[in-house]
Amino acid sequence: IQSDFRAADRIARIVSEGTGNFIVLNKRGVHFLYEGSYPPDAAVWGPVPGEYTSQPDLVVNPYDNGLRYNVNTFFERLLIDPAILEHTFILYTSDHGQTLFENHVSWLHCNNTPQEATVPLFLIGRGLNPPDGSYAASHANILPTLLDLMDFPAEERLHPYAPSLLSADASGAVDRFFFDGILRLI
């Protein structure tokens, strides 16, 4: 549980001591069994299901507890001094969502449901103008956003990319697709 928080402490120290850092962190995050992702006294929602697959309506309780504890504590420690946002941008996402055994599925992820493809993606920092709330961002927006943040000239980019989160709006929205584990287009 503590590895993400130790990483947040270390990153906060690095960015408070200087600029010019490009840091990528692959957090542990929240994993099944979800109640192992937070201490018992951090639980807000309950009860925890006795049997996950037969009680999907309760699975959201430990999952949300884990997210609340992991994400909130991570950012509380990373942003212990909010002044770091004067010279730092933080792009946060996840690799996949979870089914939470809803809709009679028997797996958590690595298949082809919309829940598995829907993940958080946000950018925080000084002077940002967020995209229109109706813009459905995706992982395809990460590279162009990073290029824009590094002031990499658009004319030197070898390929056309999805819009940067710094310039995206609903008019540039396109249908989003993903491939499942056997390369079926979803």
Side-chain angles (χ1 to χ4, degrees), residues 107-127:
W107 62 88
L108 289 169
H109 60 83
C110 297
N111 214 311
N112 60 359
T113 65
Q115 299 95 316
E116 295 165 81
T118 304
V119 297
L121 174 61
F122 60 88
L123 178 66
I124 57 176
R126 178 184 53 81

Side-chain angles (χ1 to χ4, degrees), residues 72-92:
N72 287 4
T73 305
F74 178 80
F75 279 102
E76 287 166 358
R77 292 176 74 159
L78 178 63
L79 299 175
I80 191 132
D81 179 7
I84 68 168
L85 292 176
E86 288 299 313
H87 59 272
T88 301
F89 293 97
I90 299 168
L91 192 144
Y92 189 89

